[in-house]
């Protein structure tokens, strides 16, 4: 039951994909325009993320890893708990407590790179000189090696990798300007090139959502006061029998929000056959003062101050875009 509660808690070091999420978000925070992700064995053996961001100065490497008070981690039981505490600003510390983690980094102003290594609960950090261009590489080996309950909970290599792949699709759609490369067991799986022009963006859209989606997609772009709605929706002709192509972002963050989903579903209503699902990639921009994003700990839900207005704006935007396609 404890495990079930921890998983229900949402924001946890639940699986390799949650590690990848935290590390890629750190790379984006560091201003990276290029991120390379290497995964072995679905992430249970290796998760390696290399970026060209601003890097971490030598004297901050240890700090980046050891934000958790190590004294708190005294028994194996606690360790299992740490794995599920949720990162909340302590991602690297949490990850390093359940893996063998190496952080290698170089900043613009440093002539050489440095490497910091931390393993499990003994978070004695060792620093060594290393070779690395400006940017950061994080290598996470043997995830959950010291938390057998968590390790046992991992699914097959294929399933864990699928979670990582899906996560990176969501990120790829939120940051068209960043190039993202994904390998699994040494094999190149995805290459999302940085894109600026509409044509380049549509190439990425096709890489993420498939050529079929692009073929039937209409783009939309509209505004109303502080609100903006843009992206692509799939016409009813191209609609699918799978519920796996619904991407929605609010101010650049992926959301699974009831109000938004409702507005979109309502707009599609009647246009789709009963076995068809709406497919879309939509970006909503709203004045940050008009929205709270911390409603749900995993931050997938939002609360708009003017919920009705946002709902109707999305509804009307999607509906009129759909109507234009039915000529
Ligand atoms: P948070 O991101 O909430 O600050 P983390 O544990 O994820 O906490 O990261 C700790 C710190 O390590 C970050 O604040 C940042 O200074 C540094 N850091 C982590 N990853 C990177 C990276 N890829 N590039 C530059 N700095 C990083
Ligand atoms: Mg972070």
């Amino acid at each position: 039951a404890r495990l079930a509660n921890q998983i229900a808690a949402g924001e946890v070091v639940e699986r390799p994909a949650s590690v990848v999420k935290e590390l890629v978000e750190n790379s984006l925070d560091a201003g990276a325009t290029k991120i390379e992700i290497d995964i072995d064995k679905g992430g249970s053996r290796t998760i390696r993320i290399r970026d060209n961001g601003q890097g971490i100065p030598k004297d901050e490497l240890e700090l980046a890893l050891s934000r958790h008070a190590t004294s708190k981690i005294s028994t194996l039981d606690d360790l299992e708990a740490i794995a599920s505490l949720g990162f909340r600003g302590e991602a690297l510390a949490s990850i390093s407590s359940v893996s063998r983690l190496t952080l290698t980094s170089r900043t613009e102003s440093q002539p050489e790179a440095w490497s910091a290594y931390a393993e499990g609960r003994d978070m004695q950090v060792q620093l060594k000189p290393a070779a690395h261009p400006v940017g950061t590489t994080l290598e996470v080996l043997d995830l959950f090696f010291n938390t057998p309950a968590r390790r046992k909970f991992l699914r097959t290599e294929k399933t864990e990798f699928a979670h990582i792949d899906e996560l990176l699709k969501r990120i790829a759609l939120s940051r068209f300007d960043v190039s993202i490369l994904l390998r699994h067991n040494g094999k190149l799986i995805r290459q999302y090139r940085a894109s600026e022009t509409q044509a380049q963006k549509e190439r990425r859209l096709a890489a993420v959502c498939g050529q079929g989606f692009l073929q039937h997609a209409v783009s939309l772009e509209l505004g109303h006061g502080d609100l903006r709605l843009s992206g692509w929706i799939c016409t009813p002709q191209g609609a699918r029998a799978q519920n796996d192509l619904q991407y929605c972002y609010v101010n650049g963050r992926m959301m699974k929000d009831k109000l938004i989903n409702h507005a979109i579903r309502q707009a599609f209503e009647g246009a789709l056959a009963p076995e068809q699902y709406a497919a879309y990639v939509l970006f909503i921009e709203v004045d940050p003062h008009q929205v709270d994003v911390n409603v749900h700990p995993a931050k997938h839900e939002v609360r708009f101050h003017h919920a009705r207005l946002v709902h109707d704006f999305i509804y009307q935007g999607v509906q009129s875009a759909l109507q234009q396609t039915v000529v």
Side-chain angles (χ1 to χ4, degrees):
R2 204 190 84 189
L3 195 61
N5 286 339
Q6 287 169 343
I7 289 154
E11 200 183 31
V12 292
V13 190
E14 194 187 336
R15 56 177 8 137
S18 14
V19 173
V20 175
K21 175 174 185 286
E22 293 296 328
L23 300 188
V24 170
E25 284 181 354
N26 282 348
S27 295
L28 293 171
D29 286 346
T33 56
K34 227 178 125 181
I35 304 175
E36 285 185 27
I37 300 131
D38 274 283
I39 304 294
D40 286 331
K41 298 243 168 227
S44 66
R45 180 180 290 166
T46 312
I47 298 170
R48 191 182 310 107
I49 302 201
R50 182 185 178 97
D51 70 49
N52 67 347
Q54 64 185 24
I56 306 170
K58 182 193 175 195
D59 59 358
E60 286 176 26
L61 283 174
E62 194 167 351
L63 191 73
L65 290 178
S66 37
R67 233 180 262 162
H68 261 297
T70 45
S71 60
K72 278 197 224 155
I73 314 161
S74 47
T75 68
L76 188 68
D77 218 44
D78 286 346
L79 255 183
E80 299 274 5
I82 289 261
S84 60
L85 262 182
F87 296 111
R88 294 175 211 286
E90 309 202 314
L92 294 190
S94 304
I95 295 165
S96 71
S97 72
V98 290
S99 69
R100 308 180 213 276
L101 186 148
T102 306
L103 170 56
T104 306
S105 198
R106 198 191 127 193
T107 61
E108 195 73 58
S109 62
Q110 260 173 225
E112 72 294 298
W114 287 86
S115 205
Y117 177 77
E119 175 179 323
R121 78 176 104 168
D122 168 29
M123 290 205 278
Q124 280 283 6
V125 177
Q126 297 171 29
L127 284 186
K128 280 189 208 151
H132 196 282
V134 173
T136 302
T137 295
L138 259 139
E139 186 176 69
V140 176
L141 301 181
D142 305 326
L143 183 64
F144 302 140
F145 78 95
N146 53 358
T147 52
R150 289 258 144 201
R151 193 158 177 99
K152 209 164 63 190
F153 202 77
L154 289 179
R155 307 286 295 277
T156 64
E157 183 176 329
K158 203 176 145 211
T159 301
E160 294 302 336
F161 183 76
H163 281 283
I164 293 170
D165 191 27
E166 178 56 32
L167 166 82
L168 291 170
K169 287 181 178 189
R170 288 187 229 150
I171 293 173
L173 289 176
S174 74
R175 291 298 303 268
F176 282 81
D177 56 325
V178 177
S179 108
I180 300 172
L181 200 135
L182 173 63
R183 293 191 201 88
H184 192 204
N185 298 327
K187 197 172 143 219
L188 182 66
I189 306 292
R190 308 277 174 209
Q191 186 164 22
Y192 303 126
R193 293 171 203 278
S195 43
E196 249 178 71
T197 65
Q198 186 70 6
Q200 289 169 335
K201 285 185 179 174
E202 293 190 346
R203 211 169 306 145
R204 174 173 291 202
L205 183 72
V208 174
C209 298
Q211 200 61 41
F213 179 84
L214 181 61
Q215 265 160 22
H216 295 279
V218 285
S219 69
L220 68 163
E221 173 138 28
L222 57 149
H224 176 80
D226 284 338
L227 284 170
R228 269 175 47 84
L229 176 68
S230 62
W232 296 269
I233 57 173
C234 189
T235 64
Q237 297 88 306
R240 309 149 59 100
Q242 282 153 289
N243 193 13
D244 62 350
L245 251 168
Q246 297 165 339
Y247 297 95
C248 178
Y249 299 82
V250 176
N251 293 348
R253 281 182 155 275
M254 173 88 176
M255 293 295 162
K256 286 188 173 144
D257 184 71
K258 281 205 193 94
L259 177 95
I260 299 171
N261 288 349
H262 181 267
I264 297 171
R265 210 174 331 114
Q266 216 173 45
F268 270 94
E269 213 171 66
L272 297 177
E275 72 278 7
Q276 285 184 321
Y277 285 97
Y280 52 83
V281 177
L282 289 175
F283 305 94
I284 297 154
E285 304 289 334
V286 50
D287 176 353
H289 300 296
Q290 298 295 317
V291 62
D292 300 319
V293 283
N294 286 315
V295 179
H296 187 270
K299 296 188 193 125
H300 285 317
E301 284 181 19
V302 284
R303 184 176 293 136
F304 297 103
H305 296 186
H306 302 286
R308 190 74 229 176
L309 187 83
V310 174
H311 179 281
D312 293 351
F313 171 66
I314 296 170
Y315 167 72
Q316 281 162 17
V318 173
Q319 201 198 33
S320 65
L322 272 172
Q323 273 166 1
Q324 281 161 30
T325 70
V326 198
V327 203

